[in-house]
Amino acid sequence: MIEFKLTGDYIPMIQLLKAANLVSTGGEAQIVVSEGEVTYNGQVDYRKRLKVKRGDLVEFRGNKIMVI
């Protein structure tokens, strides 16, 4: 599990995927989100600008990101 330390109130989903080094570009992040490859707190979520906050769990291709 990847623990991502949040510095502000939230981080957009596509920026989180990039910051956790799970995708190489923002464009790739937008594609995987729009194709339903990402789950947010156990549910598939298609929102690219979703505000991910502390305590949220994001999963992508077997990787789990816990936002702390």
Side-chain angles (χ1 to χ4, degrees):
M1 178 172 303
I2 300 166
E3 289 189 351
F4 182 83
K5 186 167 175 74
L6 191 61
T7 54
D9 292 334
Y10 67 89
I11 184 170
M13 177 69 80
I14 56 175
Q15 287 184 14
L16 175 64
L17 293 174
K18 241 178 95 173
N21 293 316
L22 298 179
V23 295
S24 51
T25 66
E28 182 182 353
Q30 289 184 29
I31 292 167
V32 299
V33 170
S34 66
E35 290 182 352
E37 292 187 47
V38 180
T39 62
Y40 171 72
N41 294 330
Q43 302 283 329
V44 173
D45 201 299
Y46 300 95
R47 295 176 288 172
K48 298 171 195 130
R49 304 276 182 228
L50 172 68
K51 295 177 179 178
V52 181
K53 299 176 181 169
R54 283 179 191 84
D56 289 339
L57 179 66
V58 174
E59 294 183 56
F60 172 63
R61 295 184 181 161
N63 297 291
K64 294 182 179 186
I65 307 168
M66 174 56 73
V67 181
I68 57 174

